[in-house]
Amino acid sequence: GGLLTIPVYLQSEAQHSFYWVALAVPFVMLQGAFRAVPMAVQRFDLFNLMLGLGGVFQWAGSLLLVLIGKGLLEIALLTLAIRVLGALAAYWIAKSLFPDLSFKRIRRVRETVKKLVSFGGWLTVSQLVSPVTRYLDRVFVVSYQSLKMFTYYAVPYEAITKLGVIPLSLSSALFPAMSERDGTSRSSVHVLYIRTLNLMVLIMLPMSLVLALFSREILQFWLGGEFPAMSGTVFSILAIAAFVQAVGFVPVTALQAVGRPDIATKFYLAEIPLYVLLCLLLIPSYGIEGAAWAWLIRLAIIVPAILFAAHNVLKGGMTESRSIVRVIILNAFLSAGLLLVSIKPLAFGTLAGVIAVSMVFYVFVSWFYCLDEKDRSVIKRSFARHL
């Protein structure tokens, strides 16, 4: 009632929904633990099946509830039900992969707990800090602005953060692969790290450029009304921030995979006071645009520091890094071309056609200029398996 300034007529529904969602937290934690089992043995088909079905049930079910006239409380109950079922499904998959898995025959407790505390302790701190940085800006927006302005911030924020599925997917596959290689050769870990970083920039940068340069046109086509004027700048800033954040996934995953989760977590802890300060300085004066700038500036400071730390830990050479330079050069040309297109207003259909042609050209040049023969062969084999 006080901190979030929720209108009085919505407070009862919000309070009861909060209680139901809180009940889901233990099941989310259980699901996370059991979901790590297929990830550890690189069964990403099962891992992605769980994620995909959970997402479909959550969003399709929420849409259905809204269409039949239900509200937030019913959606909260749906969320609880999906998390309970998700935890049971994750346990069943873990049991299928390891039939000997049992709570009745727990062995080597002291040794296991010692490993979990030394390694998992830092990861736990990281997971506790992550929601703070993820939602802190929205708390400040609601506190200093109105609920209406929060909507103009939350909608582009939620849309942009959905791009996180790409770095999350890459980092989920990267962690067990790097952990496996770290036991034999640190140099091979660095090569894999650079290749993943190259691929992340290659995929995410053009997407962020398109979203940033044509934010108002996208919002006009998608939502219309006041959203292009009110949320356009926010959408552009967050699109660039999403790219910076995606790049940051790679060094964080690499540090965790080689047994140094403490480094990334220390950066996360230092990030909180920085983020609070930025929010306090920018949101009261600049509103939702200030919140977007706070998110971007915070990432622009922390991510390069984590990249530098990962490079020092992995101790790799710069030979493999040349491919990233090529990716940056290609995207410099792409951004210049898109910037010229954005200067002159075009109909949305024409604009979409120009962007599509640009992306086809981008993929063609990337294939022959930015990827080496090993990259191309891996991609070909991957497509061959799924066609």
Side-chain angles (χ1 to χ4, degrees):
L3 178 64
L4 300 180
T5 62
I6 298 173
V8 175
Y9 67 93
L10 292 176
Q11 286 184 12
S12 177
E13 184 180 21
Q15 185 177 23
H16 287 93
S17 299
F18 180 85
Y19 291 150
W20 285 115
V21 172
L23 285 176
V25 172
F27 298 99
V28 172
M29 296 176 69
L30 284 171
Q31 184 180 9
F34 289 121
R35 205 165 62 190
V37 175
M39 286 178 64
V41 294
Q42 302 189 45
R43 286 297 307 271
F44 296 107
D45 53 339
L46 298 174
F47 175 76
N48 288 320
L49 180 63
M50 279 191 289
L51 283 183
L53 289 177
V56 168
F57 287 137
Q58 178 69 68
W59 297 111
S62 299
L63 176 62
L64 181 61
L65 287 173
V66 171
L67 291 176
I68 62 176
K70 301 300 181 181
L72 180 63
L73 183 58
E74 287 78 12
I75 292 176
L77 288 168
L78 172 68
T79 301
L80 173 60
I82 291 172
R83 296 304 181 267
V84 173
L85 292 174
L88 293 173
Y91 171 72
W92 179 78
I93 290 174
K95 184 76 172 176
S96 301
L97 292 172
F98 292 92
D100 290 337
L101 182 68
S102 172
F103 292 108
K104 297 179 180 179
R105 299 188 299 275
I106 301 175
R107 303 184 183 93
R108 302 169 65 184
V109 175
R110 182 176 299 178
E111 181 183 346
T112 303
V113 168
K114 186 178 179 180
K115 285 184 177 181
L116 286 174
V117 170
S118 60
F119 180 79
W122 285 109
L123 286 179
T124 300
V125 174
S126 175
Q127 292 299 312
L128 291 173
V129 170
S130 180
V132 175
T133 55
R134 192 181 308 144
Y135 295 106
L136 187 64
D137 52 348
R138 286 183 269 190
V139 172
F140 277 106
V141 167
V142 173
S143 299
Y144 285 106
Q145 304 291 311
S146 65
L147 207 57
K148 182 179 180 181
M149 292 305 296
F150 172 75
T151 302
Y152 289 126
Y153 180 77
V155 170
Y157 182 95
E158 289 297 329
I160 289 296
T161 52
K162 293 298 178 286
L163 292 176
V165 69
I166 297 172
L168 180 62
S169 299
L170 283 173
S171 60
S172 297
L174 185 64
F175 181 82
M178 277 191 168
S179 298
E180 185 179 36
R181 284 167 173 77
D182 188 48
T184 56
S185 171
R186 180 60 64 87
S187 61
S188 65
V189 174
H190 185 264
V191 171
L192 183 58
Y193 166 72
I194 291 296
R195 287 184 178 276
T196 308
L197 194 61
N198 180 41
L199 188 61
M200 188 72 77
V201 177
L202 196 64
I203 294 172
M204 292 297 298
L205 189 50
M207 296 173 63
S208 295
L209 285 172
V210 170
L211 292 172
L213 291 172
F214 304 105
S215 59
R216 283 176 171 78
E217 290 83 355
I218 293 169
L219 287 170
Q220 180 61 46
F221 177 78
W222 176 30
L223 297 169
E226 296 181 344
F227 273 95
M230 301 298 293
S231 303
T233 303
V234 171
F235 197 93
S236 297
I237 298 169
L238 294 180
I240 300 301
F243 164 71
V244 180
Q245 187 175 49
V247 171
F249 269 86
V250 184
V252 168
T253 303
L255 289 170
Q256 292 173 348
V258 299
R260 293 302 308 273
D262 58 304
I263 296 177
T265 303
K266 289 171 184 175
F267 278 113
Y268 286 155
L269 290 172
E271 189 177 18
I272 292 179
L274 171 65
Y275 199 22
V276 170
L277 178 62
L278 288 170
C279 288
L280 288 173
L281 290 174
L282 296 174
I283 294 177
S285 301
Y286 302 101
I288 58 176
E289 292 179 9
W293 277 116
W295 198 41
L296 175 56
I297 294 170
R298 181 251 309 182
L299 290 170
I301 294 172
I302 295 297
V303 170
I306 296 177
L307 283 166
F308 180 76
H311 179 75
N312 285 339
V313 170
L314 297 177
K315 297 184 182 345
M318 295 302 294
T319 305
E320 304 90 347
S321 304
R322 293 172 184 170
S323 56
I324 296 181
V325 176
R326 292 186 175 186
V327 173
I328 293 173
I329 293 172
L330 173 60
N331 276 279
F333 280 104
L334 177 66
S335 58
L338 292 175
L339 186 60
L340 290 174
V341 173
S342 67
I343 293 173
K344 184 178 180 180
L346 297 173
F348 188 81
T350 305
L351 179 62
V354 172
I355 293 174
V357 171
S358 301
M359 290 301 104
V360 170
F361 179 75
Y362 179 85
V363 171
F364 179 81
V365 176
S366 299
W367 182 260
F368 292 102
Y369 179 67
C370 298
L371 301 178
D372 59 21
E373 189 55 43
K374 185 174 182 179
D375 291 324
R376 291 193 286 268
S377 64
V378 169
I379 294 172
K380 286 177 183 177
R381 288 199 304 269
S382 179
F383 273 100
R385 283 199 304 267
H386 293 91
L387 291 177

